[in-house]
Amino acid sequence: MAAHPLIRRAGRRVGRLAGAVVLALTGALAAAGPAHADFGTDYHDPLTATKPLTRPDTRSCTVEVMHDQPFRNGYGSPPDTPYTATATPPAACAGPWSAVVLDLHGQVAGRQFDRLFTVRVGGAQVLLSSTPEPSKDGIEWSLERDVTRYAPLFAAGQQPFEFDLANVTDDTYTGVFRISASLTFYTTSARWPAARTADRLLTTGAFGLTQAAPSAGRELSFPPNLERLTAEVYARGGGACEEFAYASAPDAFARANSGTGVCGKGPFRELRLSIDGRVAGAVWPYPVIYTGGWDPLLWRPTPGIFAFDLPAYRLDLTPYVGLLVDGRPHTVAVAVNAAEAQSNDLWSGQVNLFADVDHGAARTSGQLTEYRVAPEAAVGTALADHGGGSGDWTVTAGRHDLARGWVQTSHGRVTTEVRDDLVFNSAQQFRDSGNDLTLHNRSDLTRTTATWGSGPRRTTTVHEGQPLDVGYRYAKDAAGNTDQRTSMDLGYHREATTATGARVTDRTTVDHTLRPTAHRHDGDTTVRTGGSVEDYRTTGPEGPYHRTITTVDGWPAG
């Protein structure tokens, strides 16, 4: 019987947090499944249909912070990660800047797992990404990341730069990642004015959450003239189960069918951000699938949605500003939900906070006037255990929150109201101990922020849809022939509108779909085939953009 795909590749990615957790997961590397199954010895360099960054046409200066740096062993003595350097904004392109862009270029050959990595500047996380799995002959890939919103760090001058990629090489896994990194600073012009960014950036530092220690926090002091506050949360699940949390079973089924290797805790995950113990917002992570997930043939050469640029989830915390301007430190914490009892592996990440201050006042004051935020999402589970390693279940979750507060500023009293309406639904049919399964997940997330009191009412609404469908079949006949087929339908759909009064002043949309398939057969014949169709459409002030990429057996078709 085949190992269930959710546990077959256990332990290949580990974080550099919480030593005991790291050591436990590192020890599992030796038992991990194959990470090298090409269409021959090579496939096309990774490519995607997503829209490239629009860069200013102004004068620019590029600073290289890492050149062809090898990452071989993140657990050696000493480890070769994190790589540290200094990022110094160039005097020839002094700020303020119209944009700042981080560019990465990597190459790897041989046999290797996909690895997660982080980039930090001045202690703040600016990128969470993963690497592609290589072909024997080798591949190269590039990544561009808009880091303009971190300009307050660069404006303060020289900053430490950290690149953390924990790789492992041995006689079997030979791929060494060689990566270069640079920062490009774009000057301003009439067409490209200075980007509007926060005045200050604070960070909690890295966190690691397990079921035994499901929360982590840090005391922070905020400016006494704070006016607006926004958080971004980097988060990812790691380990044999939490990487695939979106496909986990309810605990009752996992306990009754432990021989299948199915992970428990259910398919719903929520990371809650709190201020002084009060839940202030929730993140429902996108089901990111990396380039070794389920079957590597699915992602060659097109990576899964967000696999190379994991989301930084944004939360508006402005209603709570009145609680933070008393001159005292306040605890900002993050916790993972405990809807099920079985221990999860590890959730790690970092929280950055962007603070806007009132330049016309030394101090502001305020009050949280309405607070209807649930301590945790309402979760429901319907389970039918058919016995013999088969079952059906549906898991739903919902959150409908409202927070409202005002801030007294030099330009009047400004009220901010934040509403979150989040809905999740997962339905899975699990047959033959996981050798035959169908998964349908849907997340519909609507976040609305309205401000009024210093000018007309301004409302911003962001709606996100996150569908995921998976079909997996594995069979072995009496003659020993094996056949495995995997198909997926991933999506990310976003609509953001801004209205002043009743008039919509801005609207942008993103519609991103990816449909990969893979088939492998061993025995009487050998089959290794796969393909994908990726479609990316966006509209907005820059105009429409549309691209479709079709691939067959590792190469673009047509």
Side-chain angles (χ1 to χ4, degrees):
M1 181 175 292
H4 192 275
L6 307 193
I7 63 169
R8 180 168 49 230
R9 295 158 58 255
R12 57 187 175 54
R13 271 186 293 276
V14 294
R16 298 183 58 80
L17 298 163
V21 173
V22 170
L23 290 174
L25 293 179
T26 305
L29 280 167
H36 185 29
D38 286 324
F39 314 101
T41 63
D42 200 12
Y43 70 92
H44 193 279
D45 290 340
L47 77 164
T48 176
T50 56
K51 182 181 180 181
L53 289 180
T54 299
R55 304 192 184 214
D57 58 5
T58 61
R59 183 171 54 86
S60 64
C61 302
T62 297
V63 176
E64 188 175 58
V65 289
M66 187 170 75
H67 179 73
D68 199 30
Q69 179 67 25
F71 292 89
R72 293 185 174 88
N73 193 343
Y75 306 95
S77 183
D80 64 7
T81 191
Y83 170 86
T84 58
T86 299
T88 304
C93 294
W97 303 282
S98 56
V100 183
V101 175
L102 169 68
D103 285 291
L104 302 179
H105 179 80
Q107 54 186 322
V108 61
R111 186 175 189 176
Q112 192 53 265
F113 291 115
D114 47 330
R115 306 289 183 180
L116 278 149
F117 64 88
T118 59
V119 179
R120 292 183 174 88
V121 175
Q125 186 160 346
V126 302
L127 175 67
L128 176 59
S129 183
S130 70
T131 66
E133 289 194 352
S135 67
K136 181 179 179 181
D137 290 350
I139 57 170
E140 299 184 31
W141 81 102
S142 296
L143 171 65
E144 56 179 9
R145 170 75 161 165
D146 186 342
V147 295
T148 309
R149 63 180 177 275
Y150 305 103
L153 297 174
F154 299 114
Q158 193 174 81
Q159 295 292 332
F161 173 90
E162 178 184 285
F163 191 103
D164 194 357
L165 193 164
N167 191 24
V168 174
T169 56
D170 54 27
D171 292 341
T172 302
Y173 299 103
T174 58
V176 175
F177 295 100
R178 308 190 71 93
I179 300 180
S180 299
S182 64
L183 290 160
T184 301
F185 297 81
Y186 294 86
T187 60
T188 62
S189 68
R191 182 185 173 205
W192 295 97
R196 189 193 182 288
T197 63
D199 297 294
R200 284 189 57 186
L201 197 159
L202 303 90
T203 183
T204 62
F207 64 78
L209 310 175
T210 65
Q211 199 68 15
S215 64
R218 182 176 181 179
E219 284 194 342
L220 297 172
S221 295
F222 294 88
N225 58 341
L226 183 65
E227 184 172 340
R228 292 192 62 82
L229 185 66
T230 304
E232 68 174 8
V233 181
Y234 287 93
R236 62 95 177 177
C241 285
E242 289 308 284
E243 178 184 335
F244 304 93
Y246 55 86
S248 294
D251 275 348
F253 184 86
R255 284 193 299 267
N257 297 272
S258 58
T260 66
V262 66
C263 296
K265 204 172 180 284
F268 173 69
R269 295 294 181 274
E270 171 178 86
L271 277 78
R272 296 184 293 272
L273 187 69
S274 65
I275 299 174
D276 296 331
R278 186 198 310 257
V279 175
V283 167
W284 292 6
Y286 185 88
V288 179
I289 304 174
Y290 309 106
T291 56
W294 294 77
D295 188 326
L297 301 183
L298 294 165
W299 319 112
R300 297 182 173 177
T302 303
I305 294 175
F306 295 129
F308 287 179
D309 190 358
L310 276 72
Y313 305 97
R314 307 299 294 271
L315 297 172
D316 194 327
L317 304 180
T318 305
Y320 305 93
V321 164
L323 307 175
L324 304 175
V325 291
D326 55 5
R328 301 173 183 172
H330 295 269
T331 300
V332 177
V334 63
V336 64
N337 67 304
E340 302 278 348
Q342 182 172 321
S343 295
N344 60 308
D345 302 311
L346 176 71
W347 279 89
S348 60
Q350 188 161 342
V351 180
N352 296 325
L353 297 138
F354 299 84
D356 291 303
V357 302
D358 183 354
H359 295 278
R363 302 192 67 87
T364 56
S365 60
Q367 185 177 344
L368 178 66
T369 58
E370 188 167 357
Y371 176 80
R372 291 189 277 117
V373 179
E376 59 184 74
V379 180
T381 301
L383 169 63
D385 189 339
H386 306 308
S390 295
D392 300 310
W393 55 85
T394 300
V395 176
T396 60
R399 176 179 282 279
H400 304 281
D401 298 333
L402 182 146
R404 182 187 302 129
W406 55 263
V407 181
Q408 190 66 43
T409 72
S410 62
H411 46 90
R413 176 174 291 190
V414 179
T415 299
T416 300
E417 179 182 276
V418 175
R419 291 178 178 268
D420 289 340
D421 293 289
L422 317 179
V423 178
F424 171 83
N425 184 284
S426 175
Q428 187 167 166
Q429 294 179 336
F430 190 92
R431 300 287 185 271
D432 187 22
S433 298
N435 290 312
D436 183 345
L437 68 83
T438 303
L439 171 70
H440 301 288
N441 282 6
R442 296 290 183 272
S443 293
D444 289 292
L445 317 177
T446 301
R447 303 182 188 270
T448 303
T449 299
T451 60
W452 64 89
S454 178
R457 183 183 181 99
R458 188 170 185 268
T459 305
T460 300
T461 301
V462 177
H463 175 76
E464 295 173 294
Q466 302 176 354
L468 170 64
D469 298 310
V470 180
Y472 174 83
R473 307 288 185 273
Y474 175 88
K476 184 175 183 178
D477 64 23
N481 300 301
T482 62
D483 193 82
Q484 177 179 301
R485 298 174 186 265
T486 311
S487 62
M488 292 193 177
D489 194 336
L490 301 82
Y492 177 72
H493 308 285
R494 184 179 190 271
E495 180 182 48
T497 60
T498 300
T500 302
R503 183 171 64 91
V504 174
T505 56
D506 186 55
R507 179 177 179 270
T508 61
T509 64
V510 173
D511 289 292
H512 190 183
T513 60
L514 177 59
R515 298 181 177 89
T517 61
H519 178 209
R520 59 178 68 233
H521 185 95
D522 289 294
D524 48 6
T525 60
T526 299
V527 176
R528 295 289 188 273
T529 186
S532 67
V533 178
E534 182 186 31
D535 189 82
Y536 186 91
R537 301 170 183 261
T538 184
T539 64
E542 297 177 358
Y545 174 89
H546 179 213
R547 187 183 183 191
T548 301
I549 293 177
T550 301
T551 64
V552 177
D553 293 347
W555 299 92

